[in-house]
Amino acid sequence: MTRLGAVAAALASAAALTVALSPAASAAAPLRDLAAARGRYFGNAMTAGDFNDSAYRALSAREAGVVTPGNEMKWDATEPSRGGFTFTRGDQVVAGAVAANQKVRGHTLVWHSQTPAWVQSLSATDLRTAMVNHINTVMGHYKGKLFAWDVVNEAFAEDGTRRQSFWQQKLGDGYIAEAFRAARAADPTVKLYYNDYNTDGIGAKSDGVYNMVKAFKQQGVPIDGVGFQAHLIVGQVPSTTRQNLQRFADLGVDVAITELDIRMKTPADSAKLAQQARDYAEVTNACLAVTRCVGITTWGLSDNHSWIPGVFPGEGAALPFDTNLQPKPAYQAMSTAFGGPGTTTTTTTTTTTTTTTTTTTGTPPTGCTATYRITGQWQGGFQAEVRVSAGAAPISRWAVDWTFTDGQSVSSSWNAVLTTQGASVTARNTSYNGTLPAGAGTTFGFVGTSNGPNATPSPTCTAA
Ligand code: 9MR
């Protein structure tokens, strides 16, 4: 194997490592791995802007195996003027997710909100044409890049009748089925979801959706899943959530919790946080109890990346991490429900190593170097910074490996995507700091735990 081949192989194997043990702030495995071990996913909504908050981005990379774009695939973002399609921000979310080995849920194609005025003012015939064209173009662009799409969002009123949106008023009852048929034709490989809120428990609204899905199944309208947003209030998780998910699953569709947050009156206190933890556990357990519940997505991940305070004044603290990106009791509760410490479920993970041999002639790249520096130390923990420097040639990605010798572990990191296996740690570049000109450097950091000695490891750096 040539030198470049060796580098490629090292990077490939680093990329293929399954996180076995983890960076989690709790010292448990990240939720994405715990959920995967239960055949589910854990995800969170991210906006393109969220990727600029590097610590938050690192938190999502560590915890979430799925990303839902918060706004970037909605109609106002993708087709602001008729036929004027723009995918820049949606593509940024996809690229960011791919860089952290995260899958993407598409959200959303046909909705009454965040849809430009030009759409709303079309005549019925034109509106139908525009809807199908939008579905074709947006789904065509993202074909092969997403695993699911929310085709139609929030089309029901609280009493279980159709919401009197411009879609409903101009196109009538048939528009939802038309949207699903167009979606299947546009991309037969992606899962097609209907998505709504206040449908989490059994009630008039979820009955309305249920009857529609049942009719779709009988009529052969292509629908694969139903998303339950689960924008909930502390202490008010509907007691029929599990039964509700199950009755939909029994119709022959997948179900998913798609936008979970559980808000409270702020400020939070320990009693509210404890109730919220029980609520998060209840939702997680409801999903785990239903075989066809494929996963849970939270709408944001930390309390400073949440839509709640802006829309419900005086409320917030709705997510599993606080505004300092520290795990809340809700996080521990989800972790435990998914099988983390505190339960007896055994988590097994597999490690796959792919070896790529690249034969090349000419000047081999001069790779990179890494220096590891402890920048702070306290009882039980420490902070470290690793500097990655390109050699005499530019690089486009890097991986830094080291082994802890004193039982240290990583709790949280930034500016790199870390995976750990026992005492071995691999830190890979993020989407935004892999490319380094010749001689240039970048740093990433982490907070770790240590008890007693904390020897400075000797990292090795590989680059391509
Ligand atoms: O998180 C989204 C927020 O940034 C937007 O301002 C808002 C506008 O409606 O939409 C938010 O996301 C919504 C999602 O797309 C559908 N379900 C409700 C979510 C919260 O409003």
Side-chain angles (χ1 to χ4, degrees):
M1 194 186 293
T2 64
R3 187 165 172 187
L4 183 57
V7 169
L11 282 169
S13 61
L17 271 186
T18 304
V19 180
L21 165 63
S22 177
S26 62
L31 293 180
R32 61 186 287 173
D33 299 321
L34 293 173
R38 302 292 298 270
R40 310 300 201 282
Y41 64 77
F42 174 76
N44 78 284
M46 291 284 279
T47 62
D50 286 343
F51 286 88
N52 299 325
D53 178 343
S54 56
Y56 182 64
R57 194 263 171 286
L59 183 71
S60 170
R62 188 181 75 202
E63 296 294 338
V66 163
V67 160
T68 303
N71 290 310
E72 292 71 9
M73 293 186 189
K74 293 172 181 173
W75 200 311
D76 60 357
T78 51
E79 194 186 3
S81 61
R82 191 162 192 177
F85 287 94
T86 157
F87 299 110
T88 316
R89 291 191 304 134
D91 289 353
Q92 281 168 6
V93 175
V94 173
V98 167
N101 195 25
Q102 294 167 305
K103 292 186 172 152
V104 183
R105 268 197 107 246
H107 174 80
T108 178
L109 294 163
V110 177
W111 190 22
H112 62 276
S113 182
Q114 291 180 275
T115 300
W118 71 262
V119 182
Q120 307 192 33
S121 63
L122 295 175
S123 68
T125 312
D126 238 8
L127 181 59
R128 182 169 280 114
T129 307
M131 180 181 85
V132 173
N133 184 53
H134 184 79
I135 289 172
N136 280 336
T137 310
V138 178
M139 289 187 74
H141 179 81
Y142 288 109
K143 203 168 184 171
K145 296 183 174 157
L146 315 179
F147 71 95
W149 259 114
D150 288 331
V151 178
V152 177
N153 196 42
E154 302 175 3
F156 277 78
E158 295 305 301
D159 66 0
T161 62
R162 290 294 186 86
R163 178 193 288 274
Q164 290 304 311
S165 65
F166 67 91
W167 293 110
Q168 181 72 26
Q169 288 177 344
K170 291 188 181 175
L171 303 185
D173 276 351
Y175 85 92
I176 302 184
E178 287 173 47
F180 275 88
R181 288 201 165 100
R184 181 69 96 221
D187 181 357
T189 62
V190 72
K191 299 275 190 196
L192 306 179
Y193 276 70
Y194 175 78
N195 190 53
D196 215 329
Y197 65 93
N198 282 354
T199 50
D200 316 301
I202 293 177
K205 190 172 185 180
S206 63
D207 284 352
V209 177
Y210 178 86
N211 289 331
M212 177 188 75
V213 174
K214 190 174 177 186
F216 278 11
K217 281 297 189 183
Q218 284 161 355
Q219 296 157 8
V221 177
I223 183 167
D224 304 306
V226 178
F228 299 84
Q229 295 184 9
H231 292 296
L232 301 172
I233 297 171
V234 160
Q236 297 181 31
V237 176
S239 58
T240 52
T241 300
R242 185 192 58 72
Q243 284 162 266
N244 192 41
L245 296 176
Q246 188 64 59
R247 71 171 174 156
F248 277 87
D250 291 343
L251 292 175
V253 288
D254 288 340
V255 293
I257 304 294
T258 51
E259 304 183 13
L260 178 62
D261 46 30
I262 309 184
R263 62 187 186 267
M264 62 180 71
K265 293 250 186 290
T266 47
D269 61 29
S270 57
K272 291 183 222 173
L273 291 171
Q275 180 59 49
Q276 185 183 51
R278 289 191 287 277
D279 295 340
Y280 266 92
E282 193 175 336
V283 174
T284 307
N285 285 326
C287 180
L288 288 170
V290 176
T291 310
R292 291 197 73 156
C293 183
V294 296
I296 298 176
T297 301
T298 51
W299 207 244
L301 192 55
S302 64
D303 292 336
N304 55 335
H305 288 269
S306 171
W307 68 295
I308 297 289
V311 175
F312 299 95
E315 296 181 66
L319 290 163
F321 287 85
D322 69 17
T323 54
N324 295 316
L325 309 187
Q326 295 307 304
K328 293 161 62 182
Y331 173 83
Q332 306 297 350
M334 285 187 105
S335 172
T336 303
F338 274 131
T343 72
T344 52
T345 308
T346 309
T347 305
T348 40
T349 54
T350 335
T351 300
T352 322
T353 303
T354 315
T355 304
T356 312
T357 306
T358 310
T359 308
T360 187
T361 52
T363 317
T366 42
C368 58
T369 53
T371 49
Y372 178 117
R373 190 164 74 88
I374 294 170
T375 53
Q377 204 150 195
W378 55 90
Q379 182 70 40
F382 69 105
Q383 184 165 328
E385 181 184 88
V386 179
R387 181 164 189 83
V388 179
S389 305
I395 59 176
S396 59
R397 55 194 172 123
W398 47 260
V400 178
D401 294 281
W402 70 87
T403 303
F404 286 126
T405 52
D406 294 319
Q408 305 98 316
S409 67
V410 175
S411 321
S412 65
S413 63
W414 50 93
N415 293 346
V417 180
L418 267 65
T419 54
T420 64
Q421 265 213 324
S424 303
V425 183
T426 298
R428 279 175 285 131
N429 62 270
T430 65
S431 57
Y432 53 83
N433 65 5
T435 301
L436 293 176
T442 189
T443 58
F444 66 89
F446 64 91
V447 169
T449 58
S450 86
N451 288 300
N454 184 14
T456 299
S458 306
T460 55
C461 191
T462 45

